[in-house]
Amino acid sequence: MDIFLLIVALIVILAGAEAFTNALEHLGDRLGISEGVTGSIFAAVGTALPEAMVPIVAIFSTATSGAPAQLGEEVGVGAILGAPMMLSTLTLFIMALFVSPQRGWRGALTPEPTGLRRDLRWFLISFGLSAVALFVPHHITLARIGIGMALVTLYFLYVMVTLRASADLVAEGHGTEAEHALYLSKASLPTNMPVILIQLALGLGMIVFGANLFVDGIEGLSHWLDISALILSLLIVPVATELPEKINSILWIRRRKDTLAFGNITGALVFQGSLLPAIGVLLTPWSPSPPVLLGAGLTLLAGGYTYLLVQRGVTLRPYHFLFNGLCYGAYFFALT
């Protein structure tokens, strides 16, 4: 039954991601914004909603249900740190894996470099600050509050910088273009803003619903694993909640929309490396246990490696992201 549930969840997520990306392309085209804004802000935040809800629900539900607070805190911290770990390692590797049959392992990947460099820089700054906060004792309340507010401020500054760069990128030919008709238009509906927003909401709703089904299925299959809630959250929950980013980016990169594909991942990295850790810093002990330190360290290593490639002007190729996959593999085997 759990396997059947996983299959159904994957089908729902795939269908939702297809509708969501199609509607986003039409929304970006209609608004006249760059692919960077469409991928790094609209797509990234929209598909990051499932994993954003996991730590919030975990932390607050234990407080109201009477369950041990430590359980909710472990699940919350694991989900918060597991999301950027998955994106910076396994997600980039899977995207490269799926595009390699089409372009070859040495084929060129051509995302718009300034936006990619900006996203990775903001992520490393934000997540680096989150890692530093692990060593700030929980009883130093003012320092914790200051770091949490700084992380929130960093994300909103990032959004402003990204939006400001949009006009120049559109002028340079990096505007969002919709290549395929809006799916709802095939039902004799007009391709206008209300219909685009309806399809966007439908696609996002299917993604969230499918991700929740996937989490339920994985939990059913994982009962036999004798591991802590923290380890389960670091390894299992992100697999389900990161599926939207993986699938959207795979769809876009196979259509040679490289900027949208990378922006969807790196924009989610900034969101999950700033706003979500702010929740952890403010509402959980956020302490440096060995699994947490290993995950944070490998996330910064994989993100820093990718940033150096872009910063040095290296033409990105699928084989470059084998290193990111190895980082996740090392993490998985270290925890299991």
Side-chain angles (χ1 to χ4, degrees):
M1 185 63 184
D2 290 323
I3 294 177
F4 176 74
L5 188 62
L6 289 175
I7 294 173
V8 172
L10 284 172
I11 293 173
V12 172
I13 291 173
L14 279 168
E18 181 68 32
F20 186 79
T21 55
N22 173 257
L24 265 183
E25 290 173 13
H26 280 272
L27 179 64
D29 195 347
R30 183 62 61 95
L31 294 177
I33 57 178
S34 70
E35 288 184 321
V37 171
T38 302
S40 295
I41 297 179
F42 289 176
V45 173
T47 55
L49 289 178
E51 57 267 36
M53 293 306 297
V54 170
I56 295 172
V57 171
I59 293 168
F60 286 104
S61 64
T62 54
T64 58
S65 66
Q70 183 182 0
L71 177 64
E73 291 167 353
E74 286 187 348
V75 173
V77 171
I80 289 168
L81 289 175
M85 155 60 74
M86 288 285 294
L87 287 170
S88 62
T89 57
L90 188 60
T91 302
L92 286 171
F93 168 72
I94 289 177
M95 185 177 67
L97 183 66
F98 271 85
V99 80
S100 61
Q102 183 185 66
R103 305 190 202 182
W105 282 102
R106 300 187 63 84
L109 305 175
T110 56
E112 193 281 313
T114 61
L116 184 58
R117 186 163 51 244
R118 178 184 62 245
D119 285 2
L120 290 169
R121 184 188 302 120
W122 281 88
F123 164 68
L124 290 171
I125 292 171
S126 300
F127 195 77
L129 181 59
S130 304
V132 170
L134 289 168
F135 300 95
V136 178
H138 192 252
H139 64 272
I140 306 180
T141 307
L142 287 179
R144 287 286 185 124
I145 293 175
I147 292 174
M149 295 307 297
L151 289 170
V152 173
T153 302
L154 279 171
Y155 184 73
F156 283 102
L157 288 174
Y158 157 77
V159 170
M160 291 176 61
V161 169
T162 303
L163 291 174
R164 188 172 298 172
S166 177
D168 291 338
L169 290 173
V170 171
E172 294 171 7
H174 294 287
T176 305
E177 296 180 359
E179 295 182 355
H180 303 283
L182 189 72
Y183 291 143
L184 285 183
S185 68
K186 297 179 181 180
S188 300
L189 294 173
T191 305
N192 55 26
M193 187 62 74
V195 176
I196 292 172
L197 293 177
I198 289 171
Q199 181 174 310
L200 198 68
L202 288 173
L204 182 58
M206 292 174 68
I207 288 171
V208 174
F209 178 68
N212 286 331
L213 282 181
F214 198 90
V215 169
D216 292 339
I218 284 185
E219 287 177 351
L221 291 176
S222 65
H223 284 320
W224 62 273
L225 293 175
D226 186 21
I227 56 178
S228 70
L230 175 62
I231 304 299
L232 181 68
S233 299
L234 286 167
L235 290 178
I236 303 299
V237 173
V239 171
T241 56
E242 295 306 326
L243 277 175
E245 279 86 359
K246 293 185 189 73
I247 295 172
N248 285 344
S249 293
I250 289 167
L251 291 173
W252 269 323
I253 204 160
R254 288 185 62 83
R255 295 170 183 163
R256 298 189 177 274
K257 293 179 176 290
D258 294 6
T259 299
L260 286 171
F262 275 91
N264 188 34
I265 294 173
T266 58
L269 274 173
V270 182
F271 178 83
Q272 293 164 3
S274 54
L275 292 186
L276 294 191
I279 296 172
V281 172
L282 295 172
L283 301 179
T284 75
W286 201 250
S287 54
S289 64
V292 167
L293 286 177
L294 178 62
L298 286 173
T299 300
L300 289 170
L301 176 63
Y305 160 77
T306 308
Y307 174 72
L308 285 176
L309 289 177
V310 180
Q311 180 67 19
R312 293 174 59 189
V314 175
T315 299
L316 297 178
R317 305 181 191 280
Y319 75 82
H320 284 131
F321 299 100
L322 290 172
F323 177 80
N324 300 69
L326 288 173
C327 286
Y328 182 79
Y331 185 62
F332 182 87
F333 285 112
L335 293 190
T336 56

